[in-house]
Amino acid sequence: MPKRSRTPPDWQDLQNRIIGLGEDSLKKSHYPELRERLKELERFHSLLDLASDILLVIDVESGRIVDWNVAARSALGHAVPPTLEAIDGNDIRAALGTAGRKNLLTSLRHADGHRFPVEIAISIETDIGQRRAIVVGRDISERLETERRLRLAATVFDNSLDGVMVVSPGGDIVAVNPAFSRITGFAAAEAVGLSVSALRSPRQNEEFIRAMWNSVRKKGFWRGELWTAKKTGEPLPLWLAVSTVRDETGATTEYVCAFSDITRIKESESRLEYLTHHDPLTQFPNRLMLVSALEQALLRSRHADRLVALLFIDIDRFKTINDTLGHQAGDQLLQAVAARISLAVRDTGLVAHMSGDEFAVMLENLDTADEAAKAARRILLAFADPFDLDGFEAFVSLSVGVSLAPLHGQSAAALMRNCDSAVHQAKEEGGNRFRVYTRDLTKTAFKNLQIETSLRRSIENGDMELYYQPQFRLEDGSLCGAEALVRWRHPKRGIIPPDVFIPRAEETGLIVPLGRRLLLDACHRAKSWLDKGLAVVPVAVNVSGVQILGSPIAETVAEALSLSGLPSRLLKLEITESFAMRGTTESLDRLQALRALGVELAVDDFGTGYASLAYLRELPVSIIKIDREFVRNVPAHRGDCAIIEAIVAMAHGLGLLVVAEGVETEEQKAFLKRVGCDVMQGYLSGKPVTAAAFENDVLVPARAALAQG
Ligand code: C2E
Ligand code: MG
Ligand code: MG
């Protein structure tokens, strides 16, 4: 092994010589010492090249980069070592003046001009009189980006209005945000380390929770409503979204649960639920509740082979009693009547207060029709004794109509219709009696058949015409939309309203070609208004559930839009609440396909069916239209006022726009405006009129008003 010379060779000189010699001559070199040195140098270089960090050797005196590694070459993009100026290395140059080791954060410039952040360590060494700086740098663009993202995530986490908690796979709370503490009452320090079960509420059954976690494990996420409890134990309804975080191998590292407090919405929902199903005066179930109970009973009876009876009860000459004794005594009497009917049927049936002086009783599980008659007799008997109205004795008698399923009909609607004619019969015969419905169906069936034939012909002939009814913003009275409503111009019978023929068109499937045609008409009409430069507002078209499920509705709508050239934002579709609330994935898919076309969806006749909040949130709808049944009696009817207020609060909580239908009086309008309803539609501000009339009497003046500012 050759001895090392005492004076180490000049590195610079050595390098120059190597470069000067070239590869071939190097190999031939006979200087053992030089060879040894070269090997050392090679080793040194291959070590440097292995490093992923940028390495630069700089001559302090001249500021020249005298050596570098592969990583430096590719990071800087130069073929030969560049000058410090070329890479914007001013910070490095400045550091050369100081002695010892130094760390700094700076940025360097690539040959293509882009700059990148680097973290640099510089150490100055003196080697045989020459001062050299060894610069080790690391590109930290990625790290900075990750840090920025983390900071952003942390800001969102901290400032989100939604509660967020991070849960370990074992079910322990790992982290929570301030909103979590605000909503649940658990401070962050208390919550972290607790098991999620600390938030459980007895209101939520275990099975539901298990199913929820199963879904999370299987699909990676879960969304829905859930009852939990606050720290105080107070029940807390949440809208919760759980998602899974996984590592590179796919293993679950944690669950992120984001939630919002829906207490307020729940309150208005259950209030609404109660209000919509009970009479505000007697607190008895109302017509809506009776109908749904009846439907349930009919379903059950089908399997049980038993009868269901419906009794309609009407107070004889109630108007006279009311007028003589005054409204207050009238109200008192109604309450007493309800109580007495209820006593008479005891717990064998459901008693409902339908409206005014009309009551109903539903009896289930009957073996014979005679049992219904017995119940009717018992009720009539219960009214033999007078009522005591503040010392005044009032004798009250009743008229009762009875119909039975399946004898007189299989559906709630049919039973109710039949019950109605039976009670009329009892009234006509002088009251204080009951009548059981008798069949007289032939006439109605015949009428239906006639409608179907001429309906088919009329659709083909184009006898169907759309009328337009304007909608106005309650805030400032400006025009904001129009609803297209179909009219049948019957050659002989004149104009027939849709309520008469739409149900028939649905049953026969004729609604599909009819609806398609109307959609096209409405789109063409709206486009013509757009082309005329009129103040154009969206046109809402009613679509039946049969069209949505029984025909390729999204294609039909897309076709109508493209044939007419109408922008999708100028078309809205109204679907009935009963259809919207079906809750099948199929109907949801169809609605989403419609929404994807850019067409807004409205839930029509809202309040008449079962508005499940959880489901409404899932629907791609943005507008709800309060049914005119509720608008009719405001502001006089306190119950309806409360319903409307609750609907508005709930809808706004969900970010939905609220339209009130059937507004006929200034009082109704004032009330709606006061409770924050957004839009009104009704005879007060405009009846449905022909397209020509709508153009001349609504759109043209609206444009003029707009021009005046
Ligand atoms: P809807 O969609 O709820 O339409 C509102 C109904 O309220 C219309 O009845 C309208 O004329 C009426 N209306 C508007 N303002 C007032 C008011 O201030 N007071 C009163 N009393 N009524 C008012 P119309 O035109 O008879 O339509 C009845 C129903 O027929 C509609 O209810 C809708 O469900 C259906 N319908 C109408 N056109 C179509 C259609 O093109 N396709 C489908 N599938 N259904 C339609
Ligand atoms: Mg409508
Ligand atoms: Mg409606």
Side-chain angles (χ1 to χ4, degrees), residues 8 20 61 203 263 347 375 445 466 500 542 585 630:
E61 230 56 61
R203 279 206 193 189
T263 309
D347 10 285
L466 283 175
V500 177
N542 292 282
T585 31
F630 296 107

Side-chain angles (χ1 to χ4, degrees), residues 506-572:
E506 287 177 333
E507 279 168 39
T508 53
L510 284 171
I511 190 76
V512 172
L514 172 62
R516 183 164 173 269
R517 185 162 199 148
L518 294 174
L519 205 56
L520 252 169
D521 275 5
C523 289
H524 274 300
R525 184 67 68 184
K527 180 61 168 38
S528 80
W529 289 330
L530 183 65
D531 291 343
K532 287 182 187 169
L534 290 164
V536 166
V537 289
V539 169
V541 176
N542 292 282
V543 217
S544 143
V546 177
Q547 281 171 273
I548 302 180
L549 289 179
S551 74
I553 186 71
E555 273 125 79
T556 308
V557 172
E559 184 196 20
L561 287 172
S562 82
L563 283 179
S564 64
L566 184 75
S568 59
R569 72 187 149 80
L570 290 181
L571 178 68
K572 290 184 180 176

Side-chain angles (χ1 to χ4, degrees), residues 469 483 486-487 498-499 542 604-605 628 661 664 682-683 688:
Q469 186 176 29
E483 178 173 5
V486 68
R487 301 287 178 264
D499 286 336
N542 292 282
D604 207 349
D605 305 337
R628 65 173 181 276
E661 288 183 335
E664 295 181 350
Y683 293 170

Side-chain angles (χ1 to χ4, degrees), residues 139-157:
D139 182 345
I140 54 169
S141 332
E142 241 171 73
R143 200 181 81 200
L144 290 184
E145 179 56 22
T146 313
E147 279 173 9
R148 194 185 64 82
R149 284 223 202 90
L150 282 176
R151 260 199 319 276
L152 195 67
T155 315
V156 173
F157 184 76

Side-chain angles (χ1 to χ4, degrees), residues 339-357:
R340 208 177 270 191
I341 295 174
S342 163
L343 207 67
V345 298
R346 265 169 257 118
D347 10 285
T348 57
L350 174 82
V351 179
H353 187 173
M354 303 292 274
S355 72
D357 63 335

Side-chain angles (χ1 to χ4, degrees), residues 26-289:
L26 257 178
K27 289 204 177 110
K28 284 183 221 134
S29 166
H30 293 294
Y31 296 103
E33 188 181 322
L34 180 59
R35 273 216 338 239
E36 183 58 25
R37 275 308 190 176
L38 278 175
K39 265 195 202 142
E40 216 170 283
L41 196 63
E42 257 171 47
R43 270 201 298 275
F44 175 61
H45 264 124
S46 33
L47 269 180
L48 293 190
D49 286 344
L50 275 179
S52 58
D53 284 347
I54 298 168
L55 289 165
L56 302 172
V57 181
I58 299 174
D59 176 60
V60 174
E61 230 56 61
S62 63
R64 235 164 32 86
I65 300 177
V66 294
D67 200 4
W68 65 353
N69 66 347
V70 172
R73 195 183 319 152
S74 75
L76 296 167
H78 288 269
V80 294
T83 61
L84 278 180
E85 283 68 38
I87 60 168
D88 274 2
N90 295 340
D91 287 344
I92 298 179
R93 178 180 285 280
L96 297 180
T98 58
R101 289 179 70 84
K102 194 167 170 62
N103 291 317
L104 57 109
L105 269 179
T106 179
S107 64
L108 293 176
R109 194 171 61 190
H110 187 268
D112 68 10
H114 89 264
R115 303 176 64 100
F116 56 94
V118 279
E119 188 179 57
I120 277 177
I122 301 180
S123 104
I124 313 269
E125 276 151 24
T126 307
D127 196 2
I128 44 162
Q130 270 185 318
R131 292 178 64 228
R132 309 210 160 215
I134 310 287
V135 176
V136 182
R138 179 170 296 176
D139 182 345
I140 54 169
S141 332
E142 241 171 73
R143 200 181 81 200
L144 290 184
E145 179 56 22
T146 313
E147 279 173 9
R148 194 185 64 82
R149 284 223 202 90
L150 282 176
R151 260 199 319 276
L152 195 67
T155 315
V156 173
F157 184 76
D158 284 346
N159 296 308
S160 162
L161 288 179
D162 279 354
V164 181
M165 67 176 171
V166 182
V167 176
S168 72
D172 293 329
I173 300 176
V174 182
V176 299
N177 71 346
F180 172 98
S181 304
R182 202 175 55 241
I183 296 170
T184 65
F186 283 104
E190 295 170 317
V192 171
L194 280 183
S195 154
V196 270
S197 58
L199 296 172
R200 281 216 186 153
S201 156
R203 279 206 193 189
Q204 191 65 68
N205 72 26
E206 300 272 327
E207 210 158 301
F208 182 90
I209 307 257
R210 263 199 301 279
M212 168 185 123
W213 283 112
N214 273 340
S215 159
V216 173
R217 274 186 284 271
K218 239 201 256 142
K219 296 193 214 144
F221 70 94
W222 183 86
R223 276 183 310 157
E225 269 180 40
L226 180 80
W227 279 100
T228 61
K230 296 187 186 187
K231 186 183 166 190
T232 55
E234 204 182 322
L236 172 65
L238 296 182
W239 175 261
L240 174 69
V242 184
S243 46
T244 309
V245 182
R246 300 181 197 278
D247 64 14
E248 317 77 60
T249 69
T252 300
T253 54
E254 53 252 326
Y255 300 107
V256 176
C257 310
F259 55 81
S260 51
D261 178 359
I262 53 169
T263 309
R264 295 268 306 279
I265 293 173
K266 268 284 174 211
E267 275 165 10
S268 45
E269 191 188 34
S270 62
R271 218 169 105 71
L272 185 63
E273 162 84 16
Y274 185 84
L275 286 169
T276 41
H277 293 104
H278 292 82
D279 182 89
L281 175 67
T282 57
Q283 303 298 319
F284 271 72
N286 64 7
R287 169 185 288 267
L288 208 57
M289 181 144 167

Side-chain angles (χ1 to χ4, degrees), residues 308-331:
V308 176
L310 181 65
L311 282 66
F312 273 3
I313 303 166
D314 210 300
I315 303 177
D316 295 333
R317 288 166 294 278
F318 177 71
K319 196 172 172 322
T320 323
I321 300 171
N322 210 28
D323 290 348
T324 347
L325 302 178
H327 284 276
Q328 217 170 339
D331 283 357

